[in-house]
Amino acid sequence: MEPLTREKFNQNLEKRVERVIMEYKLLENGDKVAVALSGGKDSVLTLHLLHRFQEDFNLQLVAISIDEGISGYRDRGLKIARENASKLKIELVEKSFSDELDIKLDQISSLYKSTCIPCGVFRRYLLNKSAYEWGADKLATGHNLDDEIQSFLMSFARADFRRFSKFGPKLQKIHPKLVPRIKPLWKIPEKNVGIWAVLNGVEVHFAECPYSHQSLRAKLKSYLNNLEEKSPGTKMMLLESFRKTFKQQESLLELVECESCGEPSSLNICKACEMREYIDSFEF
Ligand code: SF4
């Protein structure tokens, strides 16, 4: 059997991503695409791949980085995000919980069972707001095959069927102020993303967030990795089952404008404003 060279690996990876882009029409000619860039391997690969497809689709690209306020962790990721954006000559917009929301994640972590809960809500809020303000047609995230299956199973375990509408490689534009997400790495296993970074000598932030162990996601990740090791192909089968399910769920979510901040929300007051009110009731 021929040894797998770096070129072959890259070609294979690009082909798999291109297939998803074409099959699900993730990109259209002239699209303005904002890329959520944390500096981690998934977001860095997403940025590099979209840069690679920039000419083919005549794309305008911007990267958006969010500083949640996690000391000893996020600074390194942001440095790597800046280096990658600058290398590819892509503008980087930097936002922080501290400037935009007057919050640092470290300060509020004790208020929640898992710090990932407020982190996810505020990060999604700022990413969408920043992408919308920049005029993005799409917001590309680095969700890979593993992330997607974990999210799917988490919603399944919580009987949160409304969230099924948020899965899939491309989300629909269901509100004028909600920038539709695309996930070019939807069919790429996490392991391959790491291999790409190492094979190509691309600097990425490999460190684990100090809060990640608190989440259900971390437990599921380890369970699924064990399962995949014992029965290779399990993750792909799960994605396939999920793909058949989400098709029927696309229109479950209807959005309105939050009465407090005007951002798109499924309730009269959005999750970010609701959390802000809860956090403001404590003194720091
Ligand atoms: Fe935020 Fe949780 Fe991710 Fe850490 S692991 S960056 S707390 S969502």
Side-chain angles (χ1 to χ4, degrees):
M1 203 166 77
E2 258 185 86
L4 187 64
T5 61
R6 180 165 64 95
E7 284 70 26
K8 282 245 167 67
F9 180 88
N10 288 347
Q11 268 173 18
N12 192 284
L13 185 93
E14 277 172 24
K15 232 181 243 157
R16 286 175 78 173
V17 171
E18 198 175 355
R19 237 177 270 142
V20 170
I21 290 176
M22 302 312 279
E23 186 180 343
Y24 294 93
K25 297 186 175 56
L26 299 199
L27 298 172
E28 281 158 87
N29 190 45
D31 262 349
K32 291 180 81 178
V33 183
V35 183
L37 183 67
S38 65
K41 60 186 186 318
D42 306 299
S43 67
V44 171
L45 173 58
T46 305
L47 189 76
H48 280 251
L49 283 171
L50 288 174
H51 178 257
R52 159 88 184 69
F53 293 119
Q54 186 167 19
E55 234 178 79
D56 299 351
F57 288 93
N58 187 25
L59 304 175
Q60 280 187 64
L61 295 175
V62 72
I64 302 173
S65 289
I66 308 289
D67 179 358
E68 304 92 342
I70 307 174
S71 64
Y73 171 71
R74 183 50 75 211
D75 284 357
R76 175 90 187 120
L78 287 173
K79 185 172 173 285
I80 291 170
R82 284 180 206 120
E83 283 166 7
N84 275 284
S86 141
K87 208 182 226 169
L88 300 174
K89 297 190 173 41
I90 295 172
E91 180 197 349
L92 176 68
V93 172
E94 293 193 42
K95 299 279 170 157
S96 69
F97 282 16
S98 164
D99 290 345
E100 304 293 321
L101 304 156
D102 202 17
I103 285 170
K104 280 193 177 166
L105 199 64
D106 286 339
Q107 284 175 338
I108 59 164
S109 64
S110 60
L111 303 181
Y112 293 89
K113 197 169 85 185
S114 164
T115 314
C116 299
I117 297 170
C119 183
V121 167
F122 291 132
R123 187 156 23 85
R124 281 192 295 275
Y125 172 87
L126 283 185
L127 278 173
N128 182 69
K129 194 165 181 282
S130 312
Y132 178 77
E133 282 167 3
W134 181 74
D137 298 304
K138 315 262 165 68
L139 172 61
T141 63
H143 289 90
N144 59 44
L145 181 142
D146 293 59
D147 296 326
E148 194 74 347
I149 299 168
Q150 290 154 18
S151 300
F152 176 66
L153 290 177
M154 277 157 61
S155 298
F156 198 71
R158 291 169 176 148
D160 188 358
F161 291 96
R162 279 164 55 93
R163 287 193 74 85
F164 280 18
S165 58
K166 293 189 176 175
F167 299 138
K170 180 185 178 188
L171 306 193
Q172 303 305 315
K173 191 171 178 81
I174 54 172
H175 188 278
K177 285 169 112 176
L178 187 75
V179 182
R181 291 195 179 195
I182 54 169
K183 306 169 192 171
L185 308 187
W186 195 60
K187 280 199 174 171
I188 304 295
E190 183 173 351
K191 199 169 80 181
N192 290 26
V193 185
I195 294 173
W196 168 81
V198 173
L199 275 183
N200 290 278
V202 177
E203 187 148 21
V204 298
H205 191 210
F206 272 118
E208 285 271 326
C209 168
Y211 298 115
S212 62
H213 68 280
Q214 299 174 351
S215 65
L216 172 61
R217 183 180 290 279
K219 293 170 189 91
L220 261 175
K221 183 176 173 171
S222 134
Y223 172 74
L224 287 168
N225 284 344
N226 279 334
L227 211 60
E228 180 73 22
E229 209 180 302
K230 285 177 190 139
S231 311
T234 302
K235 287 181 185 176
M236 200 47 103
M237 292 299 282
L238 279 167
L239 188 78
E240 194 50 27
S241 309
F242 142 65
R243 194 180 62 80
K244 288 178 180 158
T245 314
F246 89 79
K247 262 193 177 164
Q248 297 152 19
Q249 306 289 336
E250 272 175 358
S251 59
L252 279 184
L253 212 59
E254 273 181 29
L255 300 184
V256 293
E257 277 189 19
C258 168
E259 285 172 7
S260 177
C261 69
E263 289 300 301
S265 166
S266 55
L267 299 168
N268 290 347
I269 298 293
C270 74
K271 207 75 197 147
C273 287
E274 188 194 300
M275 277 190 173
R276 276 301 308 270
E277 204 180 316
Y278 172 67
I279 292 163
D280 287 348
S281 67
F282 294 87
E283 277 190 21
F284 292 101

